[in-house]
Amino acid sequence: MSSATGRHCRQDTLSDAPCPDWDPRDPQVQSDQILAYDHMRETCPVAYSDYLGWSLFRHADILRVLNDHDTFSNVVSRHISVPNGMDPPEHTGYRRMIEPYFTKERVDSVEPACRDIARDLVASLKENPSCDLMTEFAEPYAVRIQCAFLGWPQSLHEPLRQWVRKNREATLARDTEAMASIALEFDGHIRSQLDWREEAGAAAPDDITTSLVRQEVYGKRLEHGQIVSILRNWTVGELGTIAACVGIIVRFLAEHQEVQSLLRRDRARLPQAIDEILRLDGPLIANRRRAARSVTIGECGISEGERMTVTGLRQTATRR
Ligand code: HEM
């Protein structure tokens, strides 16, 4: 990792591109991203890398980006992404349409299924003296609860898990050919869920996927591509995030025996503890934007169209 105070914003004299200040894929960065971000905030708060474009580490810069969608757009990809890849005013209607899917009543209604799934998985772990928590608990837990939430069958558990793994590998390797064929494969899984619901009409099950098939926004039915995008976010986007949350919580409790004992004695504190553990060590610590016009942040000139990343805001001192 570069400790490059004042080094950022240099141009490569041959290509005119900014010189990289750091490498987000450096093993040292990957081993503790929050620590690396804290270091960058001190040494190079507006940093360029080939992998992420411009990364911002300062609170004030990040707030500026998040609050000004005219200058810093959410439209970061040429692929449709509903609603997170949209800006207002388009975003507003899609967000309003999605919100009822996450009311307390709706989320509460899947809680018993989530508890059953967790109990089942814990019971199956008891047969093993040791196990890999992520592959044997967190990932299957995430895929099963999301399928329960969406009304998808058990037969999709394993294909979706494999799909997420392949997608992650292709994305990290930036293998665009593999990513395109993996996207088509996902489309097939979703299509199979949409087609029979459309054919069943009024006899289709009363679940979230059926609601999406009938959903309107701005007075028009959602298009197939929009439904696929929403479902892709709620599976691909979230399976990794949910699994990561499980891993973070279990690791924290393993490393903090006193907190674990306290929570075993007083389970009423669990919701608060979970929120706090995930606040200290969140599963998603970076978010993408794109400069919609040329702009200066700190001393760095960022050109229209360049990729940007806003990063986690905390100092490690509050974390451990
Ligand atoms: C469990 C941990 C989760 C974390 C930490 C998380 C975090 C995030 C973050 C950082 C964003 C992007 C906000 C932005 O672009 O400014 C986001 C967007 C979103 N997430 Fe999650 N998420 C989680 C779980 C879920 C789940 C389970 C679902 C749905 C089943 C979900 C649905 C969404 C939607 C619909 C958006 C787009 C919001 C918008 O653009 O208005 N998230 N989430």
Side-chain angles (χ1 to χ4, degrees):
M1 181 195 350
S2 156
S3 60
T5 313
R7 216 194 102 205
H8 56 284
C9 317
R10 269 191 334 168
Q11 302 286 124
D12 181 318
T13 44
L14 291 179
S15 68
D16 233 22
C19 290
D21 296 304
W22 71 311
D23 178 4
R25 290 196 286 181
D26 185 304
Q28 207 186 327
V29 174
Q30 290 292 313
S31 70
D32 190 339
Q33 289 183 61
I34 294 183
L35 189 66
Y37 291 179
D38 288 345
H39 177 73
M40 292 301 288
R41 188 174 305 113
E42 297 301 319
T43 56
C44 187
V46 184
Y48 186 81
S49 66
D50 293 332
Y51 189 64
L52 293 179
W54 292 98
S55 295
L56 307 184
F57 298 96
R58 258 187 317 228
H59 187 244
D61 292 339
I62 291 166
L63 282 187
R64 177 179 166 195
V65 168
L66 295 180
N67 288 324
D68 180 0
H69 50 80
D70 289 330
T71 311
F72 307 102
S73 172
N74 282 283
V75 186
V76 293
S77 154
R78 63 194 166 81
H79 298 292
I80 172 174
S81 186
V82 184
N84 43 313
M86 294 171 162
D87 291 321
E90 186 189 27
H91 175 271
T92 310
Y94 285 91
R95 175 61 187 249
R96 243 180 235 140
M97 174 274 286
I98 274 174
E99 260 157 23
Y101 290 88
F102 299 98
T103 56
K104 182 165 171 5
E105 294 71 39
R106 230 163 179 166
V107 174
D108 282 352
S109 73
V110 280
E111 188 181 329
C114 297
R115 289 191 180 280
D116 286 349
I117 291 163
R119 261 187 224 108
D120 260 17
L121 284 165
V122 170
S124 70
L125 293 183
K126 280 188 185 146
E127 287 148 30
N128 301 336
S130 70
C131 70
D132 181 308
L133 178 87
M134 295 309 290
T135 55
E136 290 178 49
F137 183 85
E139 289 172 6
Y141 172 72
V143 86
R144 287 190 204 178
I145 66 165
Q146 278 307 88
C147 284
F149 172 66
L150 294 166
W152 292 1
Q154 270 192 9
S155 56
L156 271 183
H157 291 171
E158 199 45 36
L160 270 181
R161 234 180 117 181
Q162 293 305 330
W163 190 92
V164 170
R165 187 188 49 74
K166 282 189 277 185
N167 190 50
R168 185 170 47 215
E169 281 166 11
T171 307
L172 284 176
R174 296 242 160 127
D175 183 342
T176 44
E177 214 170 290
M179 278 154 75
S181 86
I182 292 167
L184 265 184
E185 193 189 317
F186 184 82
D187 221 18
H189 291 313
I190 304 298
R191 182 37 92 192
S192 69
Q193 291 307 309
L194 301 183
D195 282 352
W196 71 264
R197 285 179 170 80
E198 274 163 9
E199 280 159 26
D206 178 20
D207 61 26
I208 284 188
T209 306
T210 304
S211 290
L212 283 175
V213 168
R214 297 175 185 156
Q215 183 70 58
E216 290 193 355
V217 69
Y218 293 122
K220 278 188 2 206
R221 276 278 173 101
L222 283 177
E223 290 163 16
H224 170 74
Q226 294 175 324
I227 302 177
V228 172
S229 163
I230 292 170
L231 292 172
R232 192 183 289 125
N233 278 343
W234 294 358
T235 48
V236 184
E238 308 312 344
L239 294 178
T241 321
I242 297 166
C245 290
V246 173
I248 289 166
I249 292 165
V250 173
R251 180 175 167 176
F252 183 95
L253 295 177
E255 288 174 349
H256 296 80
Q257 292 290 329
E258 70 296 355
V259 181
Q260 193 188 132
S261 311
L262 177 79
L263 293 173
R264 282 182 188 279
R265 283 197 308 273
D266 185 359
R267 289 178 181 224
R269 291 189 191 213
L270 269 170
Q272 203 186 349
I274 290 168
D275 279 356
E276 182 61 1
I277 294 167
L278 294 177
R279 185 188 72 80
L280 295 174
D281 203 354
L284 283 186
I285 51 170
N287 215 323
R288 295 187 297 165
R289 293 291 186 270
R290 190 175 285 272
R293 60 179 172 85
S294 296
V295 65
T296 301
I297 297 191
E299 294 160 9
C300 300
I302 298 177
S303 306
E304 179 181 342
E306 282 197 288
R307 289 171 302 133
M308 306 180 70
T309 306
V310 288
T311 61
L313 300 175
R314 277 158 287 111
Q315 298 286 335
T316 28
T318 60
R319 198 174 145 228
R320 295 196 191 277

